[in-house]
């Protein structure tokens, strides 16, 4: 059952969602709603629409898959080629040094922002920039000298880091960012990196599926009991 949200601050029970994780549509991207969403394993997404619909006004979709694709920070897979690249120390990696540059890179790489219904538009950028100002959203930057060549950003809440997007302008930059993130999160006691959706790239880096109940138990560091 897909619920339509209104101006009130609420979400349906995650267990009510569709098989693909779609739970609700509508609402807004206020910091309060986003914090409520991520605290319950829910994340927003603007659906891609084909150019056949030039007057389409995209609506926020909210997802909460019952099978979560995550990386355990201590299980990040570092291939031999990546170790070789890291040992060369060609690239410099930083934390929260250029959040605006990273989110813009994620929005525009490969002309993503020119597509009709591109999900990372001005509203999303504004919302996550506000979360960054609150110290909730964070970025990892990959630099070649003083040029930003890759990175990722996401939301750190509870004992989880919820990855939102990544980009690379040079080979393996996003992998370097993810390895840096995993090591930093492991050092800080973060239990999981939420990848949202499975991709071959993330699976090769150590991604695995866990049930929603396990996800919430790890996020909150407490046993999870379904409210249903």
């Amino acid at each position: 059952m897909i619920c339509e949200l209104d101006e009130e601050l609420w979400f349906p029970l995650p267990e009510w969602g569709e098989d693909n994780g779609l739970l609700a549509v509508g609402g807004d991207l206020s910091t309060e709603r986003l914090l409520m969403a991520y605290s319950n394993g829910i994340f927003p997404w603007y659906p891609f629409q084909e150019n056949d619909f030039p007057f389409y006004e995209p609506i926020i979709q909210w997802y909460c898959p019952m099978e979560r694709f995550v990386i355990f920070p201590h299980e990040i897979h570092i291939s031999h080629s990546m170790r070789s690249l890291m040992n060369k120390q060609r690239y410099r990696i930083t934390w929260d040094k250029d959040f605006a540059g990273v989110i813009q890179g994620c929005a525009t790489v490969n002309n993503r922002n020119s597509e009709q219904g591109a999900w990372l538009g001005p509203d999303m950028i504004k919302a996550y920039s506000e979360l960054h100002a609150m110290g909730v959203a964070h970025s990892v930057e990959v630099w070649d000298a003083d040029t930003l060549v890759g990175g990722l950003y996401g939301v750190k809440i509870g004992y989880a880091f919820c990855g939102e997007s990544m980009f690379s302008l040079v080979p393996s930059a996003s992998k370097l960012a993810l390895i840096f993130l995993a090591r930093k999160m492991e050092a800080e006691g973060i239990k999981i990196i939420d990848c949202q959706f499975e991709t071959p790239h993330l699976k090769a880096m150590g991604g695995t599926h866990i049930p929603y109940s396990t996800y919430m138990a790890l996020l909150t560091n407490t046993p999870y009991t379904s409210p249903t």
Side-chain angles (χ1 to χ4, degrees):
M1 179 177 69
I2 301 175
C3 297
E4 184 172 358
L5 303 180
D6 51 31
E7 294 181 355
E8 297 295 322
L9 192 59
W10 69 284
F11 281 102
L13 293 175
E15 290 84 355
W16 292 0
E18 300 290 302
D19 290 342
N20 65 356
L22 180 59
L23 177 66
V25 297
D28 54 45
L29 294 172
S30 66
T31 54
E32 295 81 6
R33 191 182 298 274
L34 285 170
L35 291 173
M36 175 182 285
Y38 282 104
S39 295
N40 289 281
I42 302 167
F43 58 89
W45 191 265
Y46 275 107
F48 175 80
Q49 295 293 323
E50 298 292 343
N51 290 326
D52 294 340
F53 303 96
F55 302 109
Y56 173 80
E57 289 291 335
I59 187 171
I60 308 168
Q61 295 184 350
W62 300 89
Y63 282 83
C64 187
M66 290 293 99
E67 286 292 320
R68 309 306 294 243
F69 191 67
V70 305
I71 292 176
F72 293 100
H74 66 282
E75 294 182 357
I76 188 76
H77 176 69
I78 307 174
S79 66
H80 176 74
S81 61
M82 285 303 302
R83 290 188 186 276
S84 297
L85 178 60
M86 293 163 64
N87 289 337
K88 292 178 181 177
Q89 297 184 344
R90 173 177 176 178
Y91 300 108
R92 178 170 56 95
I93 308 176
T94 57
W95 172 260
D96 274 350
K97 293 299 183 184
D98 190 0
F99 184 88
V102 168
I103 199 168
Q104 286 291 339
C106 291
T108 59
V109 69
N110 298 325
N111 294 316
R112 289 175 181 170
N113 58 321
S114 67
E115 301 290 348
Q116 176 72 17
W119 74 271
L120 189 46
D123 290 346
M124 291 283 274
I125 291 173
K126 179 177 181 292
Y128 285 94
S129 297
E130 290 173 352
L131 288 181
H132 175 65
M134 295 173 60
V136 178
H138 301 275
S139 60
V140 176
E141 302 87 16
V142 181
W143 305 88
D144 186 354
D146 293 327
T147 301
L148 183 66
V149 295
L152 61 80
Y153 79 95
V155 172
K156 187 167 70 166
I157 193 161
Y159 289 82
F161 185 95
C162 306
E164 279 298 315
S165 188
M166 57 178 62
F167 80 103
S168 293
L169 300 181
V170 297
S172 299
S174 61
K175 292 182 180 179
L176 287 173
L178 183 57
I179 292 168
F180 176 94
L181 175 69
R183 288 178 167 177
K184 182 173 177 61
M185 294 302 97
E186 181 180 8
E188 295 183 4
I190 296 300
K191 309 283 188 184
I192 48 174
I193 298 172
D194 182 4
C195 302
Q196 296 185 347
F197 298 111
E198 178 181 342
T199 68
H201 165 73
L202 293 171
K203 188 174 180 64
M205 298 289 286
T208 188
H209 289 276
I210 61 173
Y212 174 73
S213 58
T214 302
Y215 176 94
M216 287 302 299
L218 291 167
L219 184 150
T220 60
N221 202 30
T222 58
Y224 174 75
T225 302
S226 171
T228 57

